[in-house]
Amino acid sequence: MKNFSIAKSRRLRSTPYTDRIEAHGVSSYTVYNHMLLPASFKSLESDYHHLKKYVQVWDVAAERQVEISGKDSSKLVQLMTCRDLSKSKVGKCYYAPLIDNDGLLVNDPIINKLAEDKWWLSIADADVIFFAKGLAAGNKFEVEINEPNVNILAVQGPLADDLMSKLFGEEIRKLKFFNFDYFELKGHKYFIARSGWSKQGGFEVYVDNDIAGQNLYDYLFEEGKEFNVKPGCPNLIERIEGALLSYGNDFDNRDNPFEANFDKFIHLDSDVDFLGKEKLKKIREKGITRKLMGVKIEHNKIDMYCEKTLFADSKEVVGYVRSATFSPTFNKVIGIAMINKPYWNAKNQFNIEINEKIYVGSVCDLPLV
Ligand code: THG
């Protein structure tokens, strides 16, 4: 594919940070929830090494919030996910697969519980708001559903605690994984969670005011010099190594949550009511015939525009690669693939065609080690 640029318009939304990341040298974007999401700065590999050693500031405003509030909000949120939220607490974040009436995946948001009757679904790339509004209308729920002007800045990397405590105070170091709280800086209260789409640790600041967000962006770079702060973004290499799944890439609405390894969030024996529950019980009874696994391929390059088929020597289909990239740590191509049951044994070998040549690879467990 040739290089080209994407024409911007109102439909392809910018973020309050777009001018800043462009001044900071963003080198590619992807589109996520109809919004610009940076994909690289210096290069995928150089961003990767920096993320694992220092601290980065990410414009992840494209992780949009679907706000659901009102009397029936808990009922509606529970109806959308197979994770049992009956014991959920205000101040906590819940990673939760959303399931439709066929038992298939709709999204995998982080669900933030702001109050007993107020929730933010921090969504991956799919229009969850219409799904939620349809269910609310069909069930005559008393809820309000909207997309607030909230634009997340993530601070990720091993030095994230040092940078954030310099700005917000030592208390922030005590914030637990997947908890959120409010922290003040120069007169503005910021909603901050210990979370983020990397395995390097860090925070996500859900900013509800554009100016406060832009100011925070600038403070992070002013105060972060001593920690070698750089602009960054979700990194393809790091997230495949850590098995952080991507809706639309690794799984989508053709897959059920068992196939996508969400077993620990599928609570079929609880008495909460959610969409697709009976379908999922049938799937559990029958068992699945394919699931997401890791793959390693003996090559140094791969471009992923679509699924790539993996073959056994017998020419039988082993599975399909859904995301892949070269990893400097493994010194080979690594990926996430939907693998057919006969080939689930780690170390099963396969062949794959890349640019008209055949390469060998093997199946492995996730996360990759
Ligand atoms: N942060 C916020 N919103 C998001 C994402 C995010 N929305 C879109 C997308 N990412 C949703 N998908 C994920 C996938 C994985 C994780 C978070 C969101 C994640 N997983 C941890 C892991 O796998 O180690 C922990 C999961 C758990 O066990 O609870 O963090 O990144 N705001």
Side-chain angles (χ1 to χ4, degrees):
M1 212 187 277
K2 277 194 181 150
N3 274 336
F4 59 89
S5 65
I6 297 183
K8 291 184 192 165
S9 70
R10 211 177 82 81
R11 217 162 34 69
L12 202 185
R13 302 178 288 179
S14 295
T15 88
Y17 318 117
T18 302
D19 288 348
R20 280 166 172 74
I21 66 168
E22 295 200 339
H24 269 149
V26 61
S27 56
S28 65
Y29 282 116
T30 185
V31 177
Y32 196 90
N33 287 321
H34 318 279
M35 195 171 240
L36 292 170
L37 175 65
S40 65
F41 281 81
K42 203 164 172 194
S43 73
L44 215 49
E45 275 193 40
S46 141
D47 295 352
Y48 164 82
H49 291 300
H50 180 269
L51 171 62
K52 288 182 48 160
K53 207 165 166 196
Y54 302 105
V55 55
Q56 297 183 345
V57 177
W58 297 2
D59 170 1
V60 282
E63 294 166 353
R64 304 308 291 167
Q65 306 310 301
V66 175
E67 180 176 298
I68 302 179
S69 61
K71 187 170 131 305
D72 294 325
S73 59
S74 299
K75 247 194 249 169
L76 174 56
V77 172
Q78 182 61 75
L79 193 58
M80 292 194 286
T81 180
C82 56
R83 182 167 182 180
D84 179 357
L85 295 175
S86 59
K87 296 190 178 67
S88 59
K89 294 193 175 66
V90 174
K92 287 193 184 288
C93 324
Y94 298 89
Y95 183 42
L98 303 189
I99 309 294
D100 67 18
N101 208 31
D102 299 319
L104 298 172
L105 283 153
V106 168
N107 207 288
D108 64 332
I110 292 178
I111 300 180
N112 296 300
K113 186 170 185 175
L114 280 75
E116 289 303 331
D117 60 353
K118 186 174 176 183
W119 307 75
W120 279 353
L121 275 53
S122 187
I123 60 169
D125 183 26
D127 293 310
V128 171
I129 194 164
F130 300 133
F131 183 57
K133 285 191 178 192
L135 287 169
N139 287 288
K140 298 193 164 49
F141 283 152
E142 260 182 57
V143 288
E144 272 176 47
I145 303 170
N146 68 293
E147 185 189 296
N149 180 34
V150 167
N151 298 285
I152 301 180
L153 275 180
V155 180
Q156 299 286 298
L159 304 187
D161 275 65
D162 294 334
L163 174 53
M164 289 293 277
S165 60
K166 192 176 170 191
L167 284 175
F168 291 98
E170 290 299 310
E171 274 301 296
I172 203 163
R173 289 186 191 271
K174 295 187 200 144
L175 189 64
K176 291 203 181 93
F177 187 62
F178 269 48
N179 281 47
F180 68 82
D181 210 337
Y182 299 86
F183 296 86
E184 197 172 318
L185 177 63
K186 303 200 194 227
H188 188 83
K189 266 210 167 124
Y190 294 88
F191 172 125
I192 304 181
R194 189 183 286 277
S195 55
W197 215 56
S198 87
K199 285 290 196 180
Q200 307 310 312
F203 301 89
E204 293 184 299
V205 189
Y206 291 70
V207 187
D208 60 1
N209 175 294
D210 292 0
I211 304 291
Q214 289 156 353
N215 288 340
L216 177 61
Y217 188 99
D218 296 339
Y219 301 145
L220 285 164
F221 281 92
E222 282 159 25
E223 300 297 330
K225 286 197 188 92
E226 61 174 302
F227 308 117
N228 192 21
V229 67
K230 285 201 189 328
C233 50
N235 183 278
L236 184 62
I237 308 168
E238 198 269 350
R239 79 97 181 157
I240 290 180
E241 285 179 1
L244 290 169
L245 296 184
S246 169
Y247 184 83
N249 286 317
D250 307 326
F251 68 98
D252 58 35
N253 194 232
R254 299 168 301 166
D255 308 317
N256 71 53
F258 292 107
E259 292 167 335
N261 300 331
F262 283 117
D263 303 60
K264 69 172 171 174
F265 302 125
I266 309 172
H267 298 149
L268 295 177
D269 302 318
S270 65
D271 38 315
V272 293
D273 191 23
F274 55 81
L275 233 47
K277 194 171 186 179
E278 293 312 310
K279 275 268 162 55
L280 290 181
K281 280 187 180 166
K282 288 211 179 85
I283 295 168
R284 178 173 69 176
E285 233 166 79
K286 257 180 85 187
I288 50 168
T289 57
R290 48 181 209 145
K291 70 173 179 187
L292 290 182
M293 293 188 71
V295 289
K296 295 175 185 165
I297 299 164
E298 301 301 327
H299 189 39
N300 57 13
K301 197 177 164 27
I302 192 166
D303 289 318
M304 293 294 298
Y305 305 124
C306 51
E307 282 190 332
K308 278 192 163 54
T309 311
L310 307 174
F311 295 100
D313 285 336
S314 64
K315 299 280 180 287
E316 202 175 64
V317 173
V318 169
Y320 300 90
V321 184
R322 291 185 167 179
S323 297
T325 189
F326 176 75
S327 159
T329 301
F330 288 89
N331 195 28
K332 53 188 68 165
V333 168
I334 58 168
I336 294 172
M338 190 58 92
I339 301 292
N340 292 328
K341 192 167 181 179
Y343 300 94
W344 282 355
N345 270 336
K347 299 204 167 48
N348 251 317
Q349 300 253 316
F350 56 74
N351 301 313
I352 178 172
E353 188 185 316
I354 303 171
N355 288 336
E356 289 159 33
K357 284 202 184 118
I358 304 293
Y359 296 89
V360 293
S362 58
V363 172
C364 62
D365 291 326
L366 287 173
L368 279 89
V369 277

